[in-house]
Coordinates of all heavy atoms in Angstrom, one line a residue:
D199 N -55.3 17.3 -6.6 CA -54.4 16.4 -7.2 C -52.9 16.8 -6.9 O -52.0 16.2 -7.4 CB -54.6 16.3 -8.7 CG -55.9 15.6 -9.0 OD1 -56.0 14.4 -8.8 OD2 -56.8 16.3 -9.6
G200 N -52.8 18.0 -6.2 CA -51.4 18.5 -6.0 C -51.0 19.5 -7.0 O -49.9 20.0 -7.0
F201 N -51.9 19.8 -7.9 CA -51.6 20.8 -9.0 C -51.6 22.2 -8.5 O -52.5 22.6 -7.7 CB -52.5 20.6 -10.2 CG -52.3 21.6 -11.3 CD1 -51.3 21.4 -12.2 CD2 -53.1 22.8 -11.4 CE1 -51.1 22.3 -13.2 CE2 -52.8 23.7 -12.4 CZ -51.8 23.5 -13.3
H202 N -50.6 23.0 -8.9 CA -50.6 24.4 -8.7 C -50.1 25.1 -9.9 O -49.3 24.6 -10.6 CB -49.7 24.7 -7.5 CG -50.3 24.3 -6.2 ND1 -51.0 25.2 -5.4 CD2 -50.4 23.2 -5.5 CE1 -51.5 24.6 -4.3 NE2 -51.1 23.3 -4.4
D203 N -50.7 26.3 -10.1 CA -50.1 27.1 -11.2 C -48.7 27.4 -10.9 O -48.1 26.9 -9.9 CB -50.9 28.4 -11.3 CG -52.4 28.2 -11.7 OD1 -52.6 27.2 -12.4 OD2 -53.2 29.1 -11.4
D204 N -48.1 28.3 -11.6 CA -46.6 28.5 -11.4 C -46.4 29.4 -10.1 O -45.3 29.9 -10.0 CB -46.0 29.1 -12.6 CG -46.7 30.4 -13.1 OD1 -47.7 30.8 -12.5 OD2 -46.2 31.0 -14.1
E205 N -47.3 29.5 -9.2 CA -47.2 30.2 -8.0 C -46.4 29.3 -7.0 O -46.6 28.1 -6.9 CB -48.6 30.6 -7.4 CG -49.3 31.5 -8.2 CD -48.7 32.9 -8.3 OE1 -48.3 33.4 -7.3 OE2 -48.7 33.5 -9.4
P206 N -45.6 29.9 -6.1 CA -45.0 29.2 -5.1 C -46.0 28.6 -4.1 O -47.1 29.1 -3.9 CB -44.1 30.2 -4.3 CG -44.0 31.4 -5.3 CD -45.2 31.4 -6.1
I207 N -45.7 27.4 -3.6 CA -46.6 26.8 -2.6 C -46.0 27.0 -1.2 O -44.9 26.7 -0.9 CB -46.6 25.3 -2.9 CG1 -47.1 25.0 -4.3 CG2 -47.5 24.6 -1.9 CD1 -46.9 23.6 -4.8
D208 N -46.8 27.6 -0.4 CA -46.4 27.9 1.0 C -46.3 26.6 1.8 O -47.3 25.8 1.8 CB -47.5 28.8 1.7 CG -47.2 29.2 3.1 OD1 -46.4 28.5 3.8 OD2 -47.9 30.1 3.6
L209 N -45.2 26.3 2.4 CA -45.0 25.1 3.1 C -45.8 24.9 4.3 O -45.8 23.8 5.0 CB -43.5 25.0 3.5 CG -42.6 24.6 2.4 CD1 -41.1 24.9 2.7 CD2 -42.8 23.1 2.1
Y210 N -46.6 25.9 4.7 CA -47.5 25.8 5.9 C -49.0 25.9 5.4 O -49.9 25.9 6.3 CB -47.2 27.0 6.9 CG -45.8 26.8 7.5 CD1 -44.7 27.3 6.9 CD2 -45.7 26.0 8.6 CE1 -43.4 27.1 7.4 CE2 -44.4 25.8 9.2 CZ -43.3 26.3 8.6 OH -42.1 26.1 9.1
S211 N -49.2 25.8 4.1 CA -50.6 25.9 3.7 C -51.3 24.5 3.8 O -50.6 23.5 3.8 CB -50.6 26.4 2.2 OG -49.9 25.5 1.4
D212 N -52.6 24.6 3.9 CA -53.4 23.4 4.0 C -53.9 22.9 2.6 O -55.1 23.0 2.4 CB -54.6 23.7 5.0 CG -55.4 22.4 5.3 OD1 -54.8 21.3 5.2 OD2 -56.6 22.6 5.6
V213 N -53.0 22.5 1.8 CA -53.3 22.0 0.5 C -52.7 20.6 0.3 O -51.6 20.3 0.9 CB -52.8 23.0 -0.6 CG1 -53.5 24.3 -0.6 CG2 -51.3 23.2 -0.6
P214 N -53.3 19.8 -0.5 CA -52.7 18.4 -0.7 C -51.3 18.3 -1.1 O -50.6 17.4 -0.7 CB -53.6 17.8 -1.7 CG -54.9 18.5 -1.5 CD -54.5 19.9 -1.2
A215 N -50.8 19.3 -1.9 CA -49.4 19.3 -2.3 C -48.4 19.3 -1.0 O -47.3 18.8 -1.1 CB -49.0 20.4 -3.2
V216 N -48.9 19.9 0.1 CA -48.2 20.0 1.3 C -48.6 18.9 2.3 O -47.8 18.1 2.8 CB -48.3 21.4 2.0 CG1 -47.6 21.4 3.3 CG2 -47.7 22.4 1.0
T217 N -49.9 18.8 2.5 CA -50.4 17.8 3.5 C -50.2 16.4 3.1 O -50.2 15.5 4.0 CB -51.9 18.1 3.8 OG1 -52.7 17.9 2.6 CG2 -52.2 19.5 4.4
G218 N -50.0 16.1 1.8 CA -49.8 14.8 1.3 C -48.3 14.3 1.5 O -48.0 13.2 1.2
L219 N -47.4 15.2 1.9 CA -46.0 14.9 2.1 C -45.8 14.1 3.3 O -46.5 14.3 4.4 CB -45.2 16.2 2.1 CG -45.1 17.0 0.8 CD1 -44.4 18.3 1.1 CD2 -44.4 16.2 -0.3
D220 N -44.8 13.2 3.3 CA -44.3 12.5 4.5 C -44.0 13.5 5.5 O -43.3 14.5 5.3 CB -43.1 11.7 4.1 CG -42.5 11.0 5.3 OD1 -43.0 10.0 5.8 OD2 -41.5 11.6 5.8
P221 N -44.5 13.4 6.8 CA -44.2 14.4 7.8 C -42.7 14.7 8.1 O -42.4 15.8 8.3 CB -44.9 13.8 9.1 CG -45.9 12.9 8.5 CD -45.4 12.3 7.2
A222 N -41.9 13.6 8.0 CA -40.4 13.9 8.3 C -39.8 14.7 7.1 O -39.0 15.6 7.3 CB -39.7 12.5 8.4
L223 N -40.2 14.4 5.9 CA -39.8 15.2 4.7 C -40.2 16.6 4.9 O -39.4 17.6 4.7 CB -40.3 14.6 3.4 CG -40.1 15.4 2.2 CD1 -38.6 15.6 1.9 CD2 -40.8 14.8 1.0
L224 N -41.5 16.8 5.2 CA -42.0 18.2 5.4 C -41.3 19.0 6.4 O -40.9 20.1 6.3 CB -43.5 18.1 5.7 CG -44.2 19.5 5.8 CD1 -44.1 20.4 4.6 CD2 -45.7 19.3 6.1
E225 N -41.0 18.3 7.6 CA -40.3 19.0 8.6 C -38.9 19.4 8.2 O -38.4 20.5 8.4 CB -40.2 18.0 9.8 CG -39.4 18.6 11.0 CD -39.3 17.6 12.2 OE1 -40.2 16.7 12.3 OE2 -38.4 17.8 13.0
A226 N -38.2 18.5 7.4 CA -36.8 18.8 6.9 C -36.9 20.0 5.9 O -36.0 20.9 6.0 CB -36.2 17.6 6.3
V227 N -37.8 20.0 5.1 CA -37.9 21.0 4.0 C -38.3 22.4 4.7 O -37.8 23.4 4.3 CB -38.9 20.7 2.9 CG1 -39.1 21.8 2.0 CG2 -38.4 19.4 2.2
R228 N -39.2 22.3 5.7 CA -39.5 23.6 6.4 C -38.2 24.1 7.1 O -38.0 25.3 7.2 CB -40.6 23.3 7.4 CG -42.0 23.2 6.8 CD -43.0 22.9 7.8 NE -44.4 22.9 7.2 CZ -45.5 22.4 7.8 NH1 -45.4 21.8 9.0 NH2 -46.6 22.5 7.3
A229 N -37.4 23.2 7.7 CA -36.2 23.7 8.4 C -35.2 24.3 7.4 O -34.6 25.3 7.6 CB -35.6 22.5 9.1
A230 N -35.2 23.7 6.2 CA -34.3 24.2 5.1 C -34.8 25.6 4.7 O -34.0 26.5 4.5 CB -34.2 23.2 4.0
E231 N -36.1 25.7 4.5 CA -36.7 27.0 4.1 C -36.4 28.1 5.1 O -36.0 29.2 4.8 CB -38.2 26.9 3.9 CG -38.8 28.2 3.6 CD -40.3 28.3 3.8 OE1 -40.8 27.7 4.8 OE2 -41.0 29.0 3.0
E232 N -36.5 27.7 6.4 CA -36.2 28.7 7.5 C -34.8 29.2 7.4 O -34.5 30.3 7.5 CB -36.6 28.1 8.8 CG -36.4 29.0 10.0 CD -36.8 28.4 11.3 OE1 -37.9 27.8 11.4 OE2 -36.0 28.5 12.3
A233 N -33.9 28.2 7.2 CA -32.4 28.6 7.2 C -32.1 29.4 5.9 O -31.4 30.4 6.0 CB -31.6 27.3 7.2
A234 N -32.7 29.0 4.8 CA -32.4 29.7 3.6 C -33.0 31.1 3.7 O -32.3 32.1 3.3 CB -33.0 29.0 2.4
T235 N -34.2 31.3 4.2 CA -34.8 32.6 4.3 C -34.0 33.5 5.2 O -33.9 34.7 5.0 CB -36.3 32.4 4.8 OG1 -36.9 31.6 3.8 CG2 -37.0 33.7 4.9
A236 N -33.5 32.9 6.3 CA -32.7 33.6 7.3 C -31.4 34.2 6.6 O -30.9 35.2 7.0 CB -32.3 32.8 8.5
E237 N -31.0 33.5 5.5 CA -29.8 34.0 4.8 C -30.2 34.9 3.6 O -29.3 35.3 2.8 CB -29.0 32.8 4.3 CG -28.3 32.0 5.3 CD -27.4 30.9 4.8 OE1 -27.0 31.0 3.7 OE2 -27.3 29.9 5.5
G238 N -31.5 35.2 3.5 CA -31.9 36.1 2.5 C -32.2 35.4 1.1 O -32.3 36.1 0.1
V239 N -32.3 34.1 1.1 CA -32.5 33.4 -0.1 C -33.9 33.1 -0.3 O -34.6 32.6 0.6 CB -31.7 32.0 0.0 CG1 -31.9 31.2 -1.2 CG2 -30.2 32.3 0.1

Side-chain angles (χ1 to χ4, degrees):
D199 293 290
F201 177 79
H202 285 267
D203 292 336
D204 56 357
E205 295 293 317
I207 303 168
D208 180 345
L209 282 163
Y210 293 90
S211 60
D212 186 26
V213 295
V216 175
T217 61
L219 292 173
D220 173 78
L223 170 64
L224 181 56
E225 181 180 336
V227 174
R228 284 176 173 167
E231 177 198 35
E232 184 177 309
T235 302
E237 291 183 27
V239 175

